[in-house]
Amino acid sequence: MSEDSGRVALITGASRGIGLAIAEALVARGDRVVITGRDGKALEEAVEQLGGAGRAVGVAGKSHDPDHREAAVGLAMERFGRIDALVNNVGTNPVVGSLVDLDLDTARRILDVNVIATLGWVELVHRASLKEHGGAIVNVSSVSALGPAPGIGMYGASKAALVQLTQQLAYELAPSVRVNAVAPAVVKTRFAEPLYLGHEEQVAAAYPLKRLGLPADVGGAVAFLLSEHASWITGQTLVLDGGLTLGGDWG
């Protein structure tokens, strides 16, 4: 573990999977992290994995709950006195099927969690710290934002909205705050298991690099976008797909 960098990051949905891998990459370079998630016990285990209370703190709750957002940002400021980076990783996709058969309440929930809550986190963190001190934001989108996504169309639409939100925020918050996004293809997490479990080789065959993504692949990319090495990058969406979209027909 590196010496304390003095930087603090808030990462949503980071008790496991991609969010935890992002937190691990940031802690490895010396950052302290505040992580959120719905499962309190899983958060406790993640905090220990990240080095304990000196490096990480967890706040349990639902990302689309305004009270939870207030509590997480408040604790970050109380414990560490600043927030230098925000990673909006939480996402939901509770249904698979055609858009024309989608229950509209479910559609609203997807947008609320994946888009509205993201904006809510940005607004709070900006007021609490970024407006005064500057910093960086990364939103976790998806390759489903880049074209038709059979079976997960509303999820894709919400992730496309995140790409536009990223661009708009990058424009509005410059020059002191950079805002970028990453768009992963299938990454081997519990969330994505329905897309590959039981036929991973078949799914991976469509990727030029012949494997699915790992959480660490996303963690490293996000750590780069939050670092000084990306200081002239804002408003961009970095596609992390093992070459999948090179073939054109990847829906």
Side-chain angles (χ1 to χ4, degrees):
M1 185 180 296
S2 300
E3 293 184 7
D4 191 344
S5 68
R7 295 184 298 258
V8 178
L10 194 160
I11 308 156
T12 70
S15 63
R16 56 183 171 85
I18 288 173
L20 180 56
I22 293 169
E24 288 175 330
L26 296 181
V27 166
R29 71 180 191 191
D31 295 1
R32 290 169 290 173
V33 296
V34 177
I35 61 174
T36 77
R38 291 178 295 176
D39 186 331
K41 181 171 176 52
L43 277 175
E44 289 177 7
E45 293 172 354
V47 165
E48 288 305 309
Q49 186 173 330
L50 292 167
R55 284 293 195 187
V57 61
V59 185
K62 297 179 179 179
S63 187
H64 59 289
D65 177 359
D67 290 337
H68 167 61
R69 295 196 295 266
E70 292 275 4
V73 173
L75 182 60
M77 296 303 294
E78 177 185 337
R79 183 70 61 90
F80 299 127
R82 63 188 296 137
I83 302 173
D84 303 283
L86 169 66
V87 181
N88 286 299
N89 172 62
V90 165
T92 188
N93 182 51
V95 66
V96 175
S98 171
L99 269 181
V100 296
D101 297 320
L102 182 63
D103 175 75
L104 293 183
D105 284 339
T106 301
R108 291 185 186 95
R109 178 187 171 197
I110 292 171
L111 291 172
D112 191 27
V113 174
N114 295 358
V115 183
I116 304 303
T118 294
L119 180 57
W121 284 107
V122 171
E123 289 178 349
L124 278 180
V125 172
H126 186 252
R127 291 192 207 108
S129 187
L130 296 182
K131 184 176 182 179
E132 181 178 356
H133 301 291
I137 298 168
V138 173
N139 298 320
V140 179
S141 181
S142 165
V143 293
S144 65
L146 308 180
I152 56 171
M154 198 66 218
Y155 178 78
S158 72
K159 292 299 187 175
L162 269 189
V163 171
Q164 170 60 25
L165 189 71
T166 296
Q167 294 175 340
Q168 186 67 33
L169 288 169
Y171 183 83
E172 292 187 7
L173 300 183
S176 61
V177 178
R178 297 183 301 105
V179 187
N180 291 291
V182 293
V186 177
V187 176
K188 293 177 66 175
T189 64
R190 190 186 308 172
F191 178 79
E193 281 182 352
L195 300 176
Y196 71 87
L197 202 60
H199 55 111
E200 182 178 336
E201 286 189 11
Q202 180 182 351
V203 176
Y207 291 66
L209 294 186
K210 301 305 178 189
R211 71 171 177 88
L212 302 184
L214 300 174
D217 294 321
V218 184
V222 172
F224 162 71
L225 288 173
L226 294 176
S227 76
E228 61 276 9
H229 299 296
S231 63
W232 210 43
I233 302 174
T234 195
Q236 304 304 306
T237 297
L238 178 59
V239 178
L240 311 172
D241 70 347
L244 177 66
T245 55
L246 294 174
D249 183 16
W250 46 272

